[in-house]
Amino acid sequence: MVGKVEERRKDLRDRLIRIAERHIEEEGLSAVKARALATEADCSVGAIYNVFDDLQDIMIAVNGRTFQSLGAHVAKALKGKTNLPPTDRLIVMSHAYMDYAALHPNLWRALFGLRMSTDMQVPQWYLDELARLFGYISGPVSECFPDFDAEEVDLMTRTLFSSVHGIVLLGLENRISAVPEAQLEYMIALLLRSATQKKN
Amino acid sequence: MVGKVEERRKDLRDRLIRIAERHIEEEGLSAVKARALATEADCSVGAIYNVFDDLQDIMIAVNGRTFQSLGAHVAKALKGKTNLPPTDRLIVMSHAYMDYAALHPNLWRALFGLRMSTDMQVPQWYLDELARLFGYISGPVSECFPDFDAEEVDLMTRTLFSSVHGIVLLGLENRISAVPEAQLEYMIALLLRSATQKKN
DNA sequence: TGTACATCAGTGAACGCGCGTTCACTGATGTAC
DNA sequence: TGTACATCAGTGAACGCGCGTTCACTGATGTAC
């Protein structure tokens, strides 16, 4: 029965992560507060510090889950589309990316908004997930540019990802200058078609 | 001599804006603190509230100056380049944009990081400056795509701006994944050439 | 020019709030014998 | 199985800090006569 205690620790960790996730989703990163978490998790404030180093630790854990679900979302959109031309696959992925961002804007922003303090290394899973996302993209990219070497493919991959990210970011941000989602999708497709078109 | 008092008010306003600007430039938006400003401006904390509604007011004022200087930076880079092909002019502008962001990362971030509270309208000068920046871009864009109507040009303008913005953002952010500036410039040029190249 | 008065810039201590984190304590769980 | 003991999860009041904003007060500046 050594596991009984360990099990409760894990359970509390999980509950706290879920609650923090909901708070971030609803009100952003700054909505992660010790007292609120404790109340909702039905534990004391101090208990949080038994299973996490500090609040930032929880935010990182939430970002981990977000990365997973973002990846799954993109993968799902791509399912059964493997025989589409590469440009179209890029478009499908980008639309899925935008879709996810629109569906969970605060979780999505949290991925980029969590300032890692300078002394702390970026956690390994973060780099792994990033590599996995880029892996999705670099396949179609190298198909679009058959005469590119690996380095050029990598560069183009980053370029296209950053561009799509920028479009989604400014598009979803400015609710004032109000670009409807359908138009964002169109902008993305426009860019990707222009950028990957064969220039004979 | 009615102006004596008015003059001192304006002087204090100006001094506070400069000081806030320096703080933002050095440590980001959150470095704007009432007590620090007062100490450096050699006035009392309360005096700040005589010339500004609140601290956010000062940040908005700083963003105003930043917008001006960003615009000037781009305009300067463009000077004497009016006879370049449109794609090259877009590249020059984008490089100037990146250049400014790299030179003043915190001021640049502050432009986008200042969450306007939902009840407050976006100030008019903000929209004006944005329109002015987009004006620089839409000229070359419509040259690149002569058969686009105004709406399509506008869309492409936003698309390209957002894309370049995204490249600069992620490029300068991840000091870890460390993309050197020269490579960023290359990425931008790559994207713009691909996106604006004549097809067929 | 001189005097009385009004205005309002300027002051800075104090208010008020939010919040992360700690710590002395308690009691449940698990272990040793 | 039973008892004494050790460990450590769990508690929540209290600490400590940062900070925006206010407000009763003062004194300089400008006005009216």
Side-chain angles (χ1 to χ4, degrees):
Chain A
M1 276 300 175
V2 188
K4 195 64 166 280
V5 160
E6 195 57 29
E7 193 181 301
R8 288 225 320 243
R9 277 178 67 91
K10 181 164 170 12
D11 179 63
L12 179 59
R13 262 188 78 93
D14 282 356
R15 260 184 305 144
L16 286 171
I17 291 174
R18 305 301 168 106
I19 293 165
E21 182 177 62
R22 221 190 51 244
H23 282 205
I24 294 176
E25 175 147 23
E26 285 168 5
E27 300 173 67
L29 262 182
S30 61
V32 176
K33 318 246 167 105
R35 282 165 189 78
L37 292 183
T39 305
E40 287 187 49
D42 213 32
C43 71
S44 70
V45 182
I48 295 173
Y49 292 86
N50 262 332
V51 291
F52 286 105
D53 282 350
D54 51 30
L55 289 189
Q56 168 144 326
D57 233 41
I58 302 186
M59 301 179 199
I60 290 177
V62 171
N63 273 359
R65 284 172 53 82
T66 303
F67 254 129
Q68 300 283 351
S69 86
L70 169 60
H73 193 82
V74 171
K76 189 179 159 201
L78 214 52
K79 199 153 231 169
K81 302 273 172 61
T82 40
N83 45 0
L84 283 182
T87 299
D88 293 274
R89 269 181 287 146
L90 288 175
I91 292 174
V92 166
M93 283 189 281
S94 300
H95 286 176
Y97 184 73
M98 187 200 80
D99 200 47
Y100 189 90
L103 226 56
H104 309 288
N106 286 328
L107 287 176
W108 178 68
R109 258 193 285 267
L111 286 182
F112 306 95
L114 193 53
R115 281 259 153 278
M116 314 280 186
S117 56
T118 37
D119 53 346
M120 178 226 281
Q121 283 299 324
V122 173
Q124 186 58 39
W125 60 257
Y126 190 97
L127 299 174
D128 290 347
E129 282 299 322
L130 216 64
R132 205 157 64 85
L133 275 180
F134 277 9
Y136 285 139
I137 306 171
S138 60
V141 165
S142 65
E143 282 181 57
C144 287
F145 303 93
D147 43 345
F148 272 15
D149 65 26
E151 201 172 328
E152 288 171 311
V153 167
D154 184 61
L155 199 61
M156 186 50 107
T157 298
R158 285 171 190 280
T159 302
L160 294 181
F161 172 76
S162 303
S163 303
V164 170
H165 178 80
I167 293 173
V168 172
L169 184 69
L170 294 186
L172 296 183
E173 204 84 337
N174 299 0
R175 307 222 174 265
I176 305 101
S177 110
V179 188
E181 271 182 51
Q183 209 168 38
L184 282 185
E185 289 201 354
Y186 180 70
M187 284 165 70
I188 291 170
L190 189 70
L191 177 84
L192 289 176
R193 285 200 196 289
S194 303
T196 61
Q197 204 106 19
K198 286 245 166 53
K199 321 274 157 51
N200 58 341
Chain B
M1 276 298 176
V2 188
K4 196 63 166 282
V5 160
E6 195 57 29
E7 195 179 299
R8 287 219 329 236
R9 277 178 66 91
K10 178 161 173 15
D11 179 64
L12 180 58
R13 262 188 78 92
D14 282 356
R15 261 184 304 144
L16 286 171
I17 291 174
R18 305 302 170 105
I19 293 165
E21 182 177 62
R22 221 190 51 245
H23 282 205
I24 293 176
E25 175 146 24
E26 285 168 7
E27 300 173 66
L29 262 184
S30 61
V32 176
K33 317 244 167 108
R35 282 165 189 77
L37 293 182
T39 305
E40 287 188 48
D42 213 33
C43 71
S44 69
V45 182
I48 295 174
Y49 293 86
N50 262 332
V51 292
F52 286 106
D53 282 350
D54 51 31
L55 290 189
Q56 167 143 329
D57 233 41
I58 302 185
M59 301 179 197
I60 290 176
V62 171
N63 273 0
R65 284 172 53 84
T66 303
F67 253 129
Q68 300 283 350
S69 87
L70 169 60
H73 193 81
V74 172
K76 189 178 161 203
L78 214 52
K79 198 154 232 169
K81 303 271 171 63
T82 39
N83 45 0
L84 283 182
T87 298
D88 293 273
R89 271 181 285 146
L90 288 175
I91 292 174
V92 167
M93 285 190 280
S94 300
H95 287 176
Y97 184 72
M98 187 200 78
D99 201 47
Y100 188 90
L103 227 57
H104 309 288
N106 286 328
L107 287 176
W108 177 68
R109 257 193 286 268
L111 286 182
F112 306 95
L114 192 54
R115 282 258 153 279
M116 313 281 186
S117 56
T118 37
D119 54 346
M120 180 227 279
Q121 282 299 324
V122 174
Q124 185 58 40
W125 60 256
Y126 189 98
L127 299 173
D128 290 348
E129 282 301 322
L130 217 63
R132 205 157 65 84
L133 275 180
F134 278 9
Y136 285 139
I137 306 171
S138 60
V141 165
S142 64
E143 282 182 58
C144 287
F145 303 93
D147 43 347
F148 272 15
D149 64 26
E151 201 171 328
E152 287 171 311
V153 167
D154 184 61
L155 199 62
M156 186 52 107
T157 298
R158 285 170 190 280
T159 302
L160 293 181
F161 172 76
S162 303
S163 303
V164 171
H165 178 80
I167 293 173
V168 173
L169 183 69
L170 294 186
L172 295 183
E173 203 83 337
N174 300 1
R175 307 223 173 264
I176 306 102
S177 108
V179 188
E181 270 182 51
Q183 211 168 37
L184 282 186
E185 289 200 355
Y186 180 69
M187 283 165 70
I188 290 170
L190 189 70
L191 177 84
L192 289 176
R193 284 201 197 288
S194 303
T196 61
Q197 203 106 21
K198 287 248 169 46
K199 328 275 153 56
N200 75 336

